[in-house]
């Protein structure tokens, strides 16, 4: 089996796992909020559907894909949200799910059939077919994590996380560049442990800048799906420490990331208190109105 086929197989499995999670949801659950501000479960699936379709366009009609790049350059901070909003507005949940399924199946076929050495244009440098499949897997896993968190579901880590970790390591210099920081010239050593206890390592053994931790935690960190303080990822060396605070495996501007769980808990309490206070005010107002009505009688 070629490297491309293996990665595309993993992408298919990752997508299928997420499909099983959302496939049985009712319409109300699709409208439920996720940790990404302003995005519902429907927005998450819409984004995956849109990105798969854009990747398919890039692979099959690179000239037309150039128009998509122009749209992104014209509204770099808005084009992703606008695309998701448009799909959510245009599709009921079942239709949106069907569109995602159709798009990812078409992309699967195109990636498998691409000639060796194919380079696919993208919003940054052109990508190999294997890199495109890996990027799609990373996004599918990350947005699936948003949905799982929103639903209170726990997803066991799989060997497919190796792909996410690899992108996170390879994107080290990008995390610096997108923040206008000069990247270190030296390589880092990254040592991750799979759930089965296997060591997954990147970089020279003798590096002075080192990162270590569970594979899942590292993937949550580089996709910014959990705050560093809530993860068991450690750093040795000042540059390694700084990298863990800015790491991102995805393209685009730096994201706000997730707040620490303690901060989320405080926010949840405040929201609950505000709701309770609002209900108390409304109850008092209703009682006063009832008393006034009785007085009128």
């Amino acid at each position: 089996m070629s490297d491309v086929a293996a990665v595309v197989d993993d992408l298919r499995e990752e997508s299928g796992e997420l499909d099983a999670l959302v496939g049985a949801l009712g319409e109300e659950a699709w409208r439920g909020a996720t940790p990404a501000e302003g995005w519902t479960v429907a927005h998450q699936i819409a984004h995956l559907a849109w990105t798969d379709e854009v990747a398919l366009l890039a692979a099959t009609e690179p000239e037309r894909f150039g128009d998509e790049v122009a749209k992104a350059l014209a509204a770099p901070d808005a084009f992703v949200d606008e695309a998701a909003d448009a799909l959510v507005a245009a599709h009921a949940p079942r239709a949106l799910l069907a569109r995602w399924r159709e798009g990812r199946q078409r992309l699967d076929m195109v990636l498998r059939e691409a000639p060796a050495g194919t380079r696919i244009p993208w919003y940054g440098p052109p990508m190999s077919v294997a890199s495109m499949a890996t990027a799609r897997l990373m996004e599918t896993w990350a947005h699936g994590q948003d949905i799982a968190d929103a639903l209170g579901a726990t997803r066991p880590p799989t060997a497919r996380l190796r792909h996410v970790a690899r992108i996170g390591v390879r994107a080290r210099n990008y995390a610096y560049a997108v923040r206008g920081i000069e990247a270190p010239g030296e390589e880092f050593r990254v040592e991750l442990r799979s759930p089965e206890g296997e060591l997954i390592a990147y970089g020279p053994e003798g590096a002075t800048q080192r990162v270590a931790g569970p594979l899942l935690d590292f993937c949550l960190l580089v996709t910014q799906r959990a705050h560093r303080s809530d993860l068991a990822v450690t750093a040795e060396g000042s540059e390694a420490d700084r990298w863990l605070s800015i790491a991102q495996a995805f393209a685009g501007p730096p994201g706000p990331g997730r707040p620490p769980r303690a901060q989320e808990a405080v926010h949840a309490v405040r929201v609950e208190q505000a709701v309770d206070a609002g209900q108390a005010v409304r109850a008092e107002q209703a009682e006063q109105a009832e008393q006034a009505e009785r007085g009128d009688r």
Side-chain angles (χ1 to χ4, degrees), residues 37-52:
E37 185 175 356
W39 277 28
T40 62
V41 170
H43 282 85
Q44 300 284 353
I45 296 300
H47 174 68
L48 292 176
W50 171 78
T51 315
D52 284 344

Side-chain angles (χ1 to χ4, degrees), residues 39-146:
W39 277 28
T40 62
V41 170
H43 282 85
Q44 300 284 353
I45 296 300
H47 174 68
L48 292 176
W50 171 78
T51 315
D52 284 344
E53 291 172 9
V54 173
L56 181 65
L57 185 67
T60 58
E61 300 182 68
E63 296 81 7
R64 285 186 57 203
F65 173 71
D67 296 336
E68 295 299 320
V69 175
K71 293 178 186 177
L73 292 174
D77 296 327
F79 79 103
V80 171
D81 286 337
E82 289 174 354
D85 287 340
L87 284 180
V88 171
H91 295 79
R94 292 294 108 187
L96 185 58
L97 181 59
R99 181 162 178 168
W100 177 46
R101 287 170 173 169
E102 179 184 0
R104 73 180 201 246
Q105 288 169 358
R106 292 174 62 199
L107 180 61
D108 180 291
M109 181 178 65
V110 167
L111 294 179
R112 291 181 190 279
E113 295 178 353
T118 295
R119 305 290 293 180
I120 301 174
W122 200 234
Y123 293 98
M127 306 173 72
S128 69
V129 176
S131 292
M132 175 61 78
T134 303
R136 298 305 312 124
L137 189 155
M138 180 272 294
E139 265 216 302
T140 301
W141 179 81
H143 289 284
Q145 188 63 43
D146 289 338

Side-chain angles (χ1 to χ4, degrees), residues 64-260:
R64 285 186 57 203
F65 173 71
D67 296 336
E68 295 299 320
V69 175
K71 293 178 186 177
L73 292 174
D77 296 327
F79 79 103
V80 171
D81 286 337
E82 289 174 354
D85 287 340
L87 284 180
V88 171
H91 295 79
R94 292 294 108 187
L96 185 58
L97 181 59
R99 181 162 178 168
W100 177 46
R101 287 170 173 169
E102 179 184 0
R104 73 180 201 246
Q105 288 169 358
R106 292 174 62 199
L107 180 61
D108 180 291
M109 181 178 65
V110 167
L111 294 179
R112 291 181 190 279
E113 295 178 353
T118 295
R119 305 290 293 180
I120 301 174
W122 200 234
Y123 293 98
M127 306 173 72
S128 69
V129 176
S131 292
M132 175 61 78
T134 303
R136 298 305 312 124
L137 189 155
M138 180 272 294
E139 265 216 302
T140 301
W141 179 81
H143 289 284
Q145 188 63 43
D146 289 338
I147 293 173
D149 288 344
L151 300 175
T154 300
R155 303 188 303 168
T158 72
R160 297 187 297 271
L161 288 179
R162 293 168 178 266
H163 301 297
V164 181
R166 183 171 180 269
I167 288 184
V169 172
R170 289 172 62 88
R172 187 202 72 170
N173 286 1
Y174 177 80
Y176 284 88
V178 77
R179 292 164 175 79
I181 306 171
E182 184 177 355
E186 62 185 300
E187 290 188 66
F188 292 1
R189 175 72 170 181
V190 178
E191 296 185 348
L192 308 173
R193 287 286 175 184
S194 74
E196 298 76 27
E198 180 184 357
L199 176 65
I200 303 166
Y202 306 90
E205 288 188 34
T208 58
Q209 304 292 324
R210 308 178 70 86
V211 168
L215 174 62
L216 173 60
D217 286 24
F218 182 77
C219 292
L220 289 169
L221 186 143
V222 297
T223 57
Q224 297 187 0
R225 261 53 191 184
H227 193 272
R228 179 183 173 184
S229 64
D230 295 320
L231 302 171
V233 182
T234 61
E236 294 180 24
S238 59
E239 282 297 347
D241 185 71
R242 176 159 71 162
W243 177 46
L244 291 188
S245 297
I246 64 173
Q248 66 179 70
F250 52 88
R258 301 285 183 262

